[in-house]
Amino acid sequence: MDLTKLQAPLERQLSLLGYELVHLETAREAGDDILRLFVDHLDSETSGRGVTLDDCVAVNVGLLAWM
């Protein structure tokens, strides 16, 4: 999987959802390829908010709808 091709489109979609892509990686778990996104809030420096489980769900739902 070529992460460089995925990075820019993911960054654009995440920004529409209010998040930024911090890190992108692939892993292999139980014989399946996994794409891991590490995200933060776009305003994290000023708000001091951390990423919650609800944020992870919002990112997942937002990206599934986009794909």
Side-chain angles (χ1 to χ4, degrees):
M1 182 179 306
D2 187 0
L3 297 182
T4 57
K5 289 182 180 178
L6 286 175
Q7 187 168 345
L10 281 171
E11 286 175 340
R12 280 192 299 276
Q13 187 61 28
L14 286 169
S15 70
L16 293 173
L17 299 170
Y19 300 92
E20 66 177 322
L21 182 64
V22 175
H23 183 69
L24 181 62
E25 68 183 29
T26 58
R28 190 148 184 89
E29 293 182 3
D32 293 323
D33 290 323
I34 306 293
L35 179 64
R36 285 194 187 127
L37 307 173
F38 295 81
V39 299
D40 203 353
H41 295 276
L42 282 175
D43 64 351
S44 65
E45 289 182 21
T46 56
S47 72
R49 292 185 299 163
V51 174
T52 66
L53 181 58
D54 288 338
D55 292 315
C56 294
V57 170
V59 166
N60 187 52
V61 170
L63 290 179
L64 283 175
W66 169 68
M67 297 179 101

